[in-house]
Amino acid sequence: ETGVTQTPRHLVMGMTNKKSLKCEQHLGHNAMYWYKQSAKKPLELMFVYSLEERVENNSVPSRFSPECPNSSHLFLHLHTLQPEDSALYLCASSASTGMGEQFFGPGTRLTVL
Amino acid sequence: LAKTTQPISMDSYEGQEVNITCSHNNIATNDYITWYQQFPSQGPRFIIQGYKTKVTNEVASLFIPADRKSSTLSLPRVSLSDTAVYYCLVGALTSGTYKYIFGTGTRLKVLA
């Protein structure tokens, strides 16, 4: 248990569906992150939030829309995804941006049909 | 952006010391080097982080030469439970440069 929870753990959706991934951290951290982990590819940093403000969007397609309503919660809204978007989506948090340990959640395994 | 290169896999026996080397020839001045461990169906777990020379904590050591173009994670006396994928990453998450580049990972298998 890392103090970062993600729901759902598994999600299957069609290309026309809209769904959301949820992340919650119980560590009092000020920074939160979304990562994508595809089979046989390195983890890719998607979004960075610092104090609820998005500070980085690493050229992620607009079909992925993040939301950070407060420092404890992070969402990833999904719409009109493609099969190649199937992956493990990981949320992480840290005390602040800058260097230091990131605490990862268990991830949401997403399958797009 | 610094790209990292690691061996794809390694085997070791219980009780041995394991050294995993990561190459990052294009590391930037403000980049740190961090290592994570990942078990199946779990998110990565932080092991150690450093900028230069040697860093040691209760589970590992990190050796970084003066040119910082590579780094070596050292795991003393591994056990079966250390079987996992180990990721090297370089980058910085500071204002103006939020870049974290993970390697493809080294799959370590510890044998009895």
Side-chain angles (χ1 to χ4, degrees):
Chain A
E1 178 59 48
T2 63
V4 180
T5 58
Q6 292 187 243
T7 54
R9 293 294 307 275
H10 301 272
L11 178 63
V12 179
M13 60 186 291
M15 290 191 288
T16 59
N17 293 157
K18 291 184 179 181
K19 297 287 185 182
S20 296
L21 309 184
K22 179 183 177 181
C23 174
E24 183 173 2
Q25 58 97 358
H26 311 274
L27 302 168
H29 289 167
N30 289 320
M32 297 187 77
Y33 315 83
W34 279 116
Y35 287 86
K36 177 183 178 182
Q37 187 171 32
S38 305
K40 303 185 186 304
K41 291 181 66 176
L43 279 87
E44 303 170 61
L45 179 62
M46 301 173 70
F47 300 104
V48 179
Y49 275 83
S50 176
L51 296 172
E52 303 150 40
E53 177 184 351
R54 189 194 313 179
V55 295
E56 183 65 27
N57 171 357
N58 279 324
S59 303
V60 179
S62 60
R63 58 186 183 269
F64 295 91
S65 176
E67 178 188 4
C68 187
N70 55 62
S71 60
S72 298
H73 294 87
L74 185 65
F75 294 88
L76 187 63
H77 304 299
L78 316 171
H79 64 97
T80 59
L81 295 191
Q82 305 298 312
E84 58 265 29
D85 296 321
S86 298
L88 181 67
Y89 288 86
L90 291 156
C91 173
S93 72
S94 63
S96 64
T97 57
M99 301 324 299
E101 180 176 357
Q102 291 190 349
F103 293 79
F104 283 81
T108 295
R109 174 68 63 185
L110 173 67
T111 302
V112 181
L113 302 177
Chain B
L1 299 176
K3 178 181 177 180
T4 63
T5 303
Q6 306 173 231
I8 293 174
S9 64
M10 296 179 69
D11 288 347
S12 181
Y13 288 94
E14 279 191 294
Q16 289 188 332
E17 178 185 75
V18 171
N19 296 307
I20 306 174
T21 297
C22 180
S23 172
H24 30 78
N25 291 320
N26 298 320
I27 190 168
T29 303
N30 60 348
D31 285 346
Y32 280 73
I33 300 157
T34 314
W35 286 80
Y36 281 83
Q37 175 193 57
Q38 188 176 26
F39 298 109
S41 302
Q42 295 185 26
R45 185 172 69 176
F46 176 90
I47 301 174
I48 198 166
Q49 183 179 81
Y51 184 79
K52 61 180 179 181
T53 62
K54 177 183 175 182
V55 180
T56 297
N57 62 23
E58 63 274 12
V59 299
S61 294
L62 178 60
F63 300 90
I64 305 169
D67 65 4
R68 303 200 328 123
K69 293 182 182 299
S70 67
S71 59
T72 299
L73 172 72
S74 181
L75 304 172
R77 297 183 299 280
V78 294
S79 64
L80 295 175
S81 63
D82 293 318
T83 294
V85 180
Y86 292 82
Y87 292 98
C88 161
L89 71 98
V90 295
L93 291 172
T94 56
S95 179
T97 174
Y98 294 96
K99 302 299 179 185
Y100 246 9
I101 307 299
F102 275 80
T104 51
T106 297
R107 190 171 299 275
L108 172 66
K109 185 174 183 180
V110 179
L111 307 170

